[in-house]
Amino acid sequence: GAILVAPSEILYILQSPRDISNNYALSIGSDNRTMIWNLYPPTSGVNFIVNYLYATAMFVLPVISFRARVELAMMLMHFAIIRVALHGLSGTPPAGEEYRKRRWFATLIVAHILVQFIFEPDLGSYVRHLTSVSLFLIPLLTLPSANQHEARRHMRGAVQ
């Protein structure tokens, strides 16, 4: 809703860095084949949303357009990160510090990815910035999940 009524200047400031960066890269002779351009000038809410959805598809499913092994690897890495993050957000974990930490780190990862879809100019930049949140995966992979906690509780009951 807010995007549809946001001033066009704000939308342009948010989404135009993608095209500006790509235009600069072309002007210096870059042969980057994974540039992602806005389909429409980001001057209205509808254009902004269309550009965002297009960029999302291109970053999440790069093999559709670029059809190379490296893009397949990027896509698989992206799916692995998203799977771990969504697992950290799923379910209703019991109250406790460990579970709040899981949810907090998972939320940071998902938010980081959603913001990247606004302005990243190409797959290389996207993956480079995505790897910066890889440290947030450590707590998600090491803190016990709600299922592990429940299994431990049952095991303790069985031993007693």
Side-chain angles (χ1 to χ4, degrees), residues 6 14 46 55 65 88-89 91-92 117 122 159-160:
L14 285 172
V46 172
S65 289
L89 291 172
T92 51
F117 294 153
D122 59 72
V159 171
Q160 296 174 358

Side-chain angles (χ1 to χ4, degrees), residues 11-28 32 34-43 47-48 50-52 54-55 59 116-122 125:
L11 299 175
Y12 185 81
I13 288 169
L14 285 172
Q15 220 172 44
S16 64
R18 173 180 295 130
D19 291 339
I20 292 169
S21 175
N22 287 335
N23 280 325
Y24 174 74
L26 288 177
S27 74
I28 61 170
N32 184 348
T34 64
M35 289 180 182
I36 295 172
W37 297 85
N38 289 321
L39 295 177
Y40 301 101
T43 54
N47 288 1
F48 186 93
V50 169
N51 290 337
Y52 185 87
Y54 172 71
F59 289 127
Q116 281 188 272
F117 294 153
I118 294 173
F119 62 85
E120 287 293 356
D122 59 72
S125 296

